[in-house]
């Protein structure tokens, strides 16, 4: 979903000319409305609101995904958090902190995902 934040949904007339967003790539063929809402509402509106910085939104999202044990989405949001200025040390500290609030297994799973993401960057 990293690309979904930076790309608006393509209009049907120009869909072939513009690259698909990450949401369109992941779910557009099966759930086009969900992909459209991801692009237009979640990333086109919510992530753009000025009341929280993108950095803060990334930390909140990473924390929620760790607490909910959602490793597939955590992977892309850890990478996005790095793009939004969150350091690896801050992400690891977030995981450590959440071990006591969201559960040890969730934190251990998040460490494995973080290791993979950090090695790729």
């Amino acid at each position: 979903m990293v690309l979904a934040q930076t790309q608006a949904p393509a209009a049907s007339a120009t869909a072939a000319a513009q690259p698909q967003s990450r949401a369109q790539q992941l779910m557009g063929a099966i759930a086009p409305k969900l992909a459209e809402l991801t692009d237009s509402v979640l990333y086109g509106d919510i992530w753009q609101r000025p009341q929280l910085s993108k950095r803060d939104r990334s930390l909140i999202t990473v924390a929620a995904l760790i607490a909910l044990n959602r490793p597939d989405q955590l992977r892309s949001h850890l990478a996005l958090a790095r793009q939004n200025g969150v350091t690896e040390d801050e992400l690891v500290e977030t995981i450590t902190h959440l071990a006591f609030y969201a559960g040890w297994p969730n934190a251990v799973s998040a460490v494995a995902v973080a290791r993979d993401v950090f090695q790729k960057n």
Side-chain angles (χ1 to χ4, degrees):
M1 300 270 214
V2 173
L3 294 178
Q5 181 177 359
T6 60
Q7 297 175 355
S12 59
T14 61
Q18 293 181 350
Q20 289 186 323
S21 70
R22 185 74 172 137
Q24 293 295 326
Q25 293 170 13
L26 291 175
M27 59 187 135
I30 295 171
K33 187 63 177 181
L34 182 57
E36 177 189 333
L37 291 169
T38 299
D39 288 335
S40 64
V41 178
L42 179 58
Y43 290 112
D45 181 17
I46 299 302
W47 274 83
Q48 303 306 316
R49 293 168 55 85
Q51 291 84 354
L52 290 174
S53 69
K54 285 191 171 93
R55 183 185 188 286
D56 290 346
R57 289 184 192 281
S58 281
L59 272 174
I60 293 165
T61 302
V62 165
L65 294 173
I66 292 167
L68 295 169
N69 195 16
R70 301 296 192 265
D72 292 337
Q73 291 76 28
L74 178 60
R75 182 173 310 284
S76 63
H77 278 283
L78 285 170
L80 180 58
R82 297 289 317 282
Q83 290 176 12
N84 286 336
V86 183
T87 67
E88 286 183 12
D89 286 344
E90 290 170 321
L91 291 168
V92 170
E93 188 61 25
T94 299
I95 295 168
T96 302
H97 187 78
L98 284 167
F100 295 91
Y101 291 92
W104 212 265
N106 289 0
V108 172
S109 295
V111 167
V113 172
R115 181 186 321 110
D116 290 344
V117 171
F118 296 165
Q119 287 175 349
K120 290 179 182 175
N121 292 331

